[in-house]
Amino acid sequence: MDRKPPKDATPVELCLFRRDIYQVSVEQLPDGIVLVGIYARTEVCDPNDTATDAGGLYAVDVRRGLIVAQQR
């Protein structure tokens, strides 16, 4: 499902909705846990790089389909 930016979004906010600025990494751990890192290359959207809440690290239990931990 694609989210749409709010109608009054700033140019930086519009840019942060683009998929191509995100980097994703995946690492398989024991017991069906997968670490998924999602990080925005915020400097693409904001030359001053002031965006701060654009990604995180998630531990996913793939057997239960649940996020069991997150770090932002």
Side-chain angles (χ1 to χ4, degrees), residues 36-58:
V36 179
I38 304 170
Y39 302 98
R41 294 179 295 128
T42 55
E43 71 279 1
V44 172
C45 298
D46 183 3
N48 298 320
D49 203 14
T50 58
T52 57
D53 188 22
L57 181 64
Y58 303 89

Side-chain angles (χ1 to χ4, degrees), residues 61-66 68:
D61 183 331
V62 294
R63 292 180 289 190
R64 296 186 299 159
L66 297 172
V68 294

Side-chain angles (χ1 to χ4, degrees), residues 1-2 4-5 8 12-13 19-22 32 34 37-38 41 48-52 54-56 59 67 72:
M1 172 191 272
D2 285 331
K4 297 196 186 288
D8 61 345
V12 171
E13 291 170 328
R19 289 182 182 211
D20 64 315
I21 67 149
Y22 289 88
V34 175
I38 304 170
R41 294 179 295 128
N48 298 320
D49 203 14
T50 58
T52 57
I67 296 172
R72 290 186 167 233

